[in-house]
Amino acid sequence: MFDYSDKVKEYFFQPRNAGVLEDANAVGEAGSLAGGDALKLMLRINPLSEMIEEARFLSHGGGSMIACSSALTELVRGKSVDAASRLTPADIAAFLDGLPPEKMHCTESGAKALAAAIAAFRGETPVAPERRPAQPALVTIAVPPKPRRAAPPAAAALAARQAGAAPGMTLRELIAKNNPLAAMAEAEETGPVEPVSETDAEAISRIITEMRPVFQRDKGDIELLDIKGRQVFVRLSGTCASCMMASQTLAGVQKRIMETLGRPFRLIPSTARA
């Protein structure tokens, strides 16, 4: 089990700047659906001042990928293109108070997408960000790198289908199908909080009750605390209160609520709220 910081959890459960930026003039992508992690970064850059005025993202992957993508948009907003181009994977990880070594590839995907977006804005070929050099060894032996075997097209197509991608499906469509957090943020409310109807409240309560055995099977539990507009507050207890894997099950609960009621809702977990 990975040890995630509170900030990583916060930026996964409540991602910032998720969704489509319609007037973006700089777009960069990294990763692939077949590989399991994909990121599309969209920037609106002032062509005169070269200041990044807005940043949004779409991503498909685990909690670390969503958190890193969200953190990246926060880091680049309000910066000049030159300043943003100097951001490194280590800067993204530091912003999130650290990441497990096994998840640092998510920060590298963020840096690659940023480099691609800036290159697109400048009309250049994207250049991968430099890695910080390691300490030199006492003895250096030249060993040819072992070539990586590219996945055959059939294998990539199979992996995409296993992730739920239909032939011709775009990244945005796959995210809307499999990633309720990003899909919800794209349709986020901008008006006043609307009261939840008694019928909707009963449906949400019933879904959470039906899902409780999934959490209890792992010696945890979930209960409904409150519903405010399209925010559903739940309390996690037992092992689920500190288990990052519970996020995957929460995403499933949220997806079921949205599919049942036909509109976006945000599931907000709490371990302290009474």
Side-chain angles (χ1 to χ4, degrees):
M1 185 64 62
F2 298 121
D3 185 16
Y4 292 95
S5 70
D6 290 339
K7 202 166 184 180
V8 170
K9 297 176 185 178
E10 176 189 352
Y11 273 68
F12 169 56
F13 286 122
Q14 301 184 54
R16 278 69 159 171
N17 311 313
V20 174
L21 184 59
E22 297 292 351
D23 57 348
N25 57 357
V27 178
E29 298 186 6
S32 67
L33 296 179
D37 286 320
L39 166 63
K40 182 175 183 178
L41 177 68
M42 294 153 281
L43 307 176
R44 184 177 71 238
I45 303 174
N46 187 309
L48 298 179
S49 64
E50 293 199 349
M51 298 295 293
I52 300 175
E53 298 176 341
E54 186 59 272
R56 287 186 173 271
F57 78 94
L58 293 174
S59 71
H60 174 74
S64 298
M65 189 65 177
I66 294 174
C68 289
S69 303
S70 181
L72 176 61
T73 60
E74 292 284 276
L75 283 167
V76 301
R77 291 175 70 187
K79 280 188 169 60
S80 67
V81 171
D82 284 341
S85 66
R86 292 192 290 270
L87 287 173
T88 67
D91 293 327
I92 301 174
F95 181 86
L96 292 169
D97 296 334
L99 275 172
E102 296 85 353
K103 298 297 181 180
M104 283 298 293
H105 67 276
C106 297
T107 65
E108 294 176 0
S109 294
K112 290 178 182 177
L114 176 59
I118 292 175
F121 173 74
R122 291 174 168 171
E124 302 171 347
T125 301
V127 178
E130 293 184 5
R131 292 173 175 265
R132 294 181 179 177
Q135 292 295 325
L138 294 178
V139 179
T140 302
I141 302 175
V143 179
K146 185 178 180 180
R148 291 186 176 181
R149 301 179 67 183
L158 176 60
R161 286 198 299 271
Q162 290 174 340
M169 181 177 287
T170 64
L171 171 60
R172 179 182 177 184
E173 290 168 340
L174 180 62
I175 290 170
K177 181 177 184 297
N178 285 343
N179 192 334
L181 288 171
M184 172 277 303
E186 183 176 348
E188 188 174 4
E189 296 176 279
T190 57
V193 175
E194 62 182 70
V196 64
S197 68
E198 184 175 344
T199 302
D200 287 352
E202 290 177 353
I204 293 172
S205 177
R206 182 180 67 255
I207 291 171
I208 292 177
T209 299
E210 292 174 353
M211 294 292 289
R212 287 185 68 188
V214 178
F215 290 83
Q216 292 171 342
R217 189 162 56 238
D218 293 326
K219 298 182 180 180
D221 205 350
I222 182 175
E223 63 177 304
L224 177 63
L225 292 177
D226 196 5
I227 306 173
K228 292 184 177 180
R230 296 187 183 181
Q231 294 183 327
V232 180
F233 295 89
V234 297
R235 177 164 55 205
L236 297 178
S237 57
T239 57
C240 293
S242 58
C243 176
M244 189 60 184
M245 291 303 294
S247 63
Q248 302 298 325
T249 310
L250 284 172
V253 176
Q254 179 172 279
K255 181 178 180 181
R256 183 173 171 186
I257 290 174
M258 292 193 294
E259 289 177 343
T260 300
L261 301 182
R263 55 188 183 280
F265 279 84
R266 173 177 292 177
L267 200 65
I268 301 178
S270 172
T271 58
R273 184 172 176 153

